[in-house]
């Protein structure tokens, strides 16, 4: 997962209690020959929903227990998809079967003596979220974890076929393996729910990337200009080979980038899958620098998290949250490699890489100190103290620090790339997740036996400030910090359809003196609507106007108002990283090694 601008989600989540978990422990009668059919035509589109059937053969006299997941891997929140189900029915040989619920997400169907069973239901698809399902008059996004039931206690290794019934002229795109006309097959449930679908009218482009086809689907048709679509595929054609090189493996035969542009979405959010990703982007943001970075991040997840992942998440479980202290590796180090892929592939320059690194440092500076392990574990709770997403940027910086230390200890013969590649070979290839000992063992071996217990205690499992003045010179970079006096509103936002929802307000800030409080929606600043990507231009306008009034459009409880607080300035520490012209030969080798993806030990 990756989101830019939108940094904090405001969903209310429900946590499963122990009693509910126990109630789910019962086992279903065995089922086989599992098929799912998803119907989305004009009538369903009008209703903003989708009709689903599941057919199978049940064995024996016990009831069949069918469950829906509560979350989708990569989207670390409990969403309880079963809440969108209505009109549930079960039949066998044309006769209605008795059913009830045995748990909130579980249906119990009495079959009598087994045989062929068809269940059907309507699923409300009205949530624009890359882990959910969303219908428009001419389009549907759906995720398998929303719609596809599994038999309780019978394992997730069952194969299945999915067919999609839709209008003749509408397209269907998914990364799943085709199995006939508008039908696809999955070898097991994990594969089944890891392939989102686009159905309807949308643009479709393709290009050769890393030797195979990459498709770019964008909805609504015409929302992304042809030149922008060509540019994105070109950027991926340059960046993705640098990612393939890290693992010496390209694990898919084709890849789908699936994008929805929406005028009400203020930023970008994307969710990874084994050979696809779904991005949601605010209309007008397609030219922003973060777009290739988000997609490079999602594609790097093909290896890091979809295949190589911490043992806590192997295998995925769908009935409850599945926390891990290692999202700083799965997400943070993925983000480090997104930056590296862009510079190694020539999509950005070394200066662009450093600017991204500085931005991450600034985000960490502005956030209360939190251990990467704690931030990883607690993300499921949607923390309200501003630490919700910090494991992305701070984890990315931890990746840079480790890469520098490994290259320094080995005189650039080894790298973090090699660590990722060795764990991929040792763990993913052997069908398991990596343990903490395996991770630190691989890091230590690459760093020629250097111990990382102290580093872990201080910077990963602890809250100490990163020691950039010690680390960056080893890679030929100079680090300094400037103190600036700048105009600030003093709030953090989350975008939603109405505008920017205020999440936190800094005491004494411009926003605080105007009476702005969490839950207010900021709709415009200095006359520029926040739906306009140029809304941040108020900063330049007020660069020298401390104390001047600034008009802020606010929605509170549905009432629109304008407040005019005096702009307050705040003291900001600006981090700057520059290449050191006096760097030693070794440090220069390390810097070049990081930026080019090379070591002196040979080709990576
Ligand atoms: Zn991610």
């Amino acid at each position: 997962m990756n989101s830019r601008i939108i940094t904090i989600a405001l969903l209310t989540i429900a946590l499963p209690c122990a009693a509910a978990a126990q109630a789910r422990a019962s086992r279903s009668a065995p089922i086989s020959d599992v098929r799912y059919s998803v119907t989305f035509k004009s009538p369903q589109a009008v209703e903003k929903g989708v009709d689903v059937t599941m057919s199978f053969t049940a064995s024996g006299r016990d009831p069949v227990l069918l469950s829906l997941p509560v979350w989708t891997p990569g989207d670390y929140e409990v969403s309880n998809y079963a809440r969108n189900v209505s009109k549930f029915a079960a039949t066998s040989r044309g006769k209605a079967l008795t059913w009830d619920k045995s748990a909130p997400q579980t249906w119990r169907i009495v079959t009598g003596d087994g045989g062929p069973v068809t269940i059907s239901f309507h699923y409300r698809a009205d949530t624009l979220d890359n882990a959910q399902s969303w219908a428009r008059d001419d389009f549907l996004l759906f995720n398998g974890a929303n719609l596809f039931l599994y038999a309780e206690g019978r394992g997730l290794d069952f194969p299945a076929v999915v067919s999609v019934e839709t209008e003749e002229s509408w397209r269907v795109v998914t990364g799943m393996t085709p199995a006939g006309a508008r039908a696809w097959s999955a070898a097991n449930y994990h594969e089944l729910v890891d392939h989102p679908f686009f159905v309807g009218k949308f643009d479709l482009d393709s290009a050769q990337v890393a030797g195979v086809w990459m498709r770019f689907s964008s909805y609504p048709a015409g929302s992304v200009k042809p030149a922008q679509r060509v540019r994105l595929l070109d950027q991926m054609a340059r960046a993705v080979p640098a990612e393939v090189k890290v693992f010496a493996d390209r694990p898919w035969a084709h890849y789908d980038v699936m994008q929805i542009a929406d005028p009400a979405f203020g930023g970008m959010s994307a969710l990874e899958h084994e050979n696809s990703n779904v991005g949601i982007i605010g209309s007008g943001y397609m030219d922003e620098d973060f777009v290739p970075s988000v997609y490079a991040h999602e594609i790097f997840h093909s290896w890091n998290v979809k295949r190589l992942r911490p043992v806590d998440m192997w295998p995925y479980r769908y009935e409850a949250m599945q926390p891990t202290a290692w999202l700083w590796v799965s997400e943070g180090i993925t983000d480090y490699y997104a930056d590296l892929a862009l510079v190694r592939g020539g999509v950005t320059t070394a200066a662009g890489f450093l600017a991204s690194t500085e931005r991450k440092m600034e985000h960490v500076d502005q956030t209360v100190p939190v251990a990467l392990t704690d931030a990883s574990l607690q993300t499921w709770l949607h923390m309200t103290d501003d630490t919700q997403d910090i494991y992305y940027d701070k984890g990315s910086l931890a990746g840079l620090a480790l890469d520098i230390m490994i290259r320094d200890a080995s005189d650039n013969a080894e790298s973090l790339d090699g660590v990722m590649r060795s764990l991929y070979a040792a763990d993913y290839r052997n069908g398991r997740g990596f343990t903490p000992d395996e991770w630190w063992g691989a890091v230590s071996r690459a760093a020629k036996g250097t111990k990382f217990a102290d580093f872990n205690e201080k910077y990963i499992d602890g809250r100490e400030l990163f020691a950039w003045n010690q680390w960056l010179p080893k890679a030929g970079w100079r680090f300094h910090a400037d103190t600036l006096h700048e105009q600030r509103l003093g709030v953090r936002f989350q975008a939603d359809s109405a505008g920017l929802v205020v999440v936190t307000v800094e005491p004494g800030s411009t926003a605080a003196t105007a009476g702005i409080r969490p839950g207010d929606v900021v709709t415009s600043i200095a006359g520029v609507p926040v739906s306009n990507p140029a809304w941040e231009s108020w900063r330049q306008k007020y660069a020298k106007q401390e104390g001047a009034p600034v008009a802020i459009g606010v929605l509170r409880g549905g009432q629109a108002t304008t407040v005019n607080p005096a702009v307050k300035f705040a003291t900001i520490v600006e981090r700057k990283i520059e290449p050191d012209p006096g760097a030693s030969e070794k440090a220069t080798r390390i810097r070049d090694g990081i930026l080019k993806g090379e070591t002196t030990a040979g080709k990576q």
Side-chain angles (χ1 to χ4, degrees):
M1 185 77 170
N2 188 285
S3 60
R4 300 292 161 99
I5 297 186
I6 302 163
T7 53
I8 295 175
L10 285 179
L11 291 174
T12 307
I13 61 167
L15 309 183
C17 69
Q22 272 171 14
R24 296 170 58 87
S26 14
R27 201 170 183 213
S28 172
I31 66 169
S32 57
D33 193 20
V34 179
R35 291 166 178 273
Y36 303 92
S37 175
V38 174
T39 301
F40 181 74
K41 295 183 173 180
S42 294
Q44 286 81 11
V46 169
E47 275 192 75
K48 302 288 175 282
V50 49
D51 288 309
V52 182
T53 65
M54 176 191 187
S55 65
F56 53 86
T57 304
S59 308
R61 305 187 62 82
D62 288 342
V64 172
L65 302 178
L66 299 175
S67 295
L68 273 182
V70 303
W71 73 292
T72 296
D75 185 53
Y76 303 105
E77 65 181 2
V78 171
S79 296
N80 294 317
Y81 305 125
R83 64 192 290 275
N84 294 311
V85 172
S86 62
K87 300 179 191 165
F88 189 92
T91 60
S92 180
R93 299 184 177 100
K95 284 189 185 156
L97 298 177
T98 303
W99 63 268
D100 67 354
K101 282 276 189 85
S102 66
Q105 331 280 349
T106 306
W107 287 259
R108 174 169 47 202
I109 299 129
V110 179
T111 66
D113 55 358
V117 176
T118 299
I119 64 119
S120 60
F121 59 88
H122 182 76
Y123 191 91
R124 183 182 170 119
D126 63 351
T127 309
L128 178 56
D129 179 315
N130 36 37
Q132 305 227 25
S133 297
W134 186 65
R136 312 307 287 162
D137 289 346
D138 56 356
F139 177 78
L140 170 71
L141 155 70
F142 76 83
N143 278 279
N146 307 162
L147 307 184
F148 299 147
L149 297 143
Y150 61 90
E152 272 296 324
R154 289 287 165 188
L156 297 168
D157 283 331
F158 63 92
V161 174
V162 177
S163 60
V164 174
E165 310 289 326
T166 188
E167 301 293 344
E168 200 67 31
S169 62
W170 288 1
R171 287 186 161 125
V172 184
V173 158
T174 177
M176 202 184 285
T177 307
R182 295 199 160 171
W184 293 264
S185 66
N188 56 55
Y189 188 78
H190 302 297
E191 202 180 303
L192 178 74
V193 300
D194 198 29
H195 291 94
F197 279 69
F198 270 15
V199 181
K201 291 184 187 169
F202 47 88
D203 289 322
L204 185 58
D205 297 85
S206 55
Q208 286 274 310
V209 173
V212 295
W213 287 106
M214 178 174 283
R215 294 189 292 189
F216 179 36
S217 304
S218 51
Y219 175 83
S223 61
V224 181
K225 293 183 203 123
Q228 292 171 315
R229 306 197 309 250
V230 168
R231 183 183 59 202
L232 180 72
L233 285 167
D234 173 63
Q235 288 167 330
M236 293 305 105
R238 287 188 280 157
V240 174
E243 300 187 341
V244 172
K245 191 177 163 190
V246 172
F247 293 93
D249 182 40
R250 190 228 332 111
W252 14 262
H254 48 88
Y255 192 96
D256 277 293
V257 177
M258 302 156 78
Q259 179 180 281
I260 295 169
D262 188 80
F265 205 84
M268 183 172 186
S269 168
L271 180 61
E272 70 277 6
H273 300 282
E274 67 176 64
N275 69 346
S276 61
N277 72 68
V278 174
I280 304 175
I281 186 170
S283 307
Y285 284 88
M286 200 57 201
D287 291 332
E288 297 291 326
D289 286 345
F290 60 67
V291 175
S293 169
V294 169
Y295 284 126
H297 172 113
E298 302 312 329
I299 295 170
F300 195 80
H301 273 313
S302 304
W303 297 270
N304 193 30
V305 94
K306 293 318 304 190
R307 291 177 173 85
L308 171 65
R309 65 175 174 270
V311 69
D312 315 300
M313 291 200 292
W314 190 291
Y316 284 127
R317 298 190 309 268
Y318 301 91
E319 75 281 9
M321 65 165 79
Q322 195 170 10
T324 173
W326 289 82
L327 289 183
W328 67 276
V329 168
S330 297
E331 291 294 351
I333 287 183
T334 293
D335 217 56
Y336 174 52
Y337 277 98
D339 287 354
L340 288 181
L342 295 184
V343 67
R344 290 174 181 178
V347 177
T348 188
T349 58
F353 171 80
L354 294 180
S356 177
T357 305
E358 289 159 0
R359 184 191 58 73
K360 290 173 177 181
M361 289 176 176
E362 187 186 331
H363 184 202
V364 172
D365 281 344
Q366 290 172 352
T367 306
V368 292
V370 60
L372 281 165
T373 46
D374 293 345
S376 299
L377 273 173
Q378 69 194 13
T379 190
W380 292 82
L381 306 184
H382 292 284
M383 297 305 294
T384 58
D385 65 352
D386 232 10
T387 62
Q388 173 63 17
D389 297 306
I390 198 66
Y391 55 85
Y392 287 87
D393 285 347
K394 193 173 179 184
S396 173
L397 296 172
L400 171 63
L402 287 172
D403 204 4
I404 291 173
M405 278 177 243
I406 293 165
R407 289 174 188 267
D408 182 61
S410 65
D411 194 6
N412 203 44
E414 303 288 341
S415 66
L416 188 62
D417 301 23
V419 170
M420 301 304 288
R421 188 164 53 247
S422 72
L423 289 168
Y424 186 78
D427 289 305
Y428 165 64
R429 294 281 195 201
N430 288 301
R432 57 175 199 244
F434 68 83
T435 64
D437 283 352
E438 286 173 328
W439 170 267
W440 290 117
V443 170
S444 181
R445 271 193 305 281
K448 303 294 172 200
T450 307
K451 299 280 181 258
F452 283 85
D454 186 54
F455 177 88
N456 180 45
E457 199 175 305
K458 284 182 175 163
Y459 305 113
I460 305 294
D461 207 16
R463 292 182 283 272
E464 286 201 21
L465 299 183
F466 284 3
W468 294 118
N469 276 320
Q470 277 174 48
W471 301 335
L472 288 171
K474 295 179 195 297
W477 281 307
R478 276 195 311 215
F479 175 73
H480 61 96
D482 290 330
T483 303
L484 304 174
H485 195 56
E486 266 191 1
Q487 65 291 15
R488 292 279 156 135
L489 286 186
V491 288
R492 280 183 73 85
F493 293 122
Q494 183 228 347
D496 89 349
S497 54
L500 300 172
V501 181
V502 176
V503 179
T504 57
V505 180
E506 210 175 291
S509 64
T510 307
T513 56
I516 290 175
R517 55 193 197 219
D520 286 350
V521 182
V522 170
T523 54
S524 67
I525 302 174
V528 182
V530 298
S531 55
N532 181 339
W535 68 270
E536 289 192 273
S537 64
W538 78 273
R539 283 182 189 285
Q540 286 84 55
K541 207 162 146 188
Y542 285 82
K544 293 198 170 75
Q545 298 198 52
E546 185 165 14
V550 57
I552 305 175
V554 178
L555 262 180
R556 180 180 295 160
Q559 295 282 92
T561 177
T562 302
V563 290
N564 295 283
V567 171
K568 287 197 168 190
F569 279 37
T571 301
I572 308 291
V573 178
E574 196 174 80
R575 313 281 163 181
K576 197 80 201 142
I577 312 170
E578 288 167 340
D580 180 357
S584 68
E585 277 184 25
K586 179 184 172 186
T588 306
R589 257 198 307 280
I590 291 171
R591 184 175 70 209
D592 288 350
I594 290 171
L595 295 174
K596 293 177 182 164
E598 289 168 358
T599 60
T600 47
K603 295 246 173 257
Q604 287 190 46

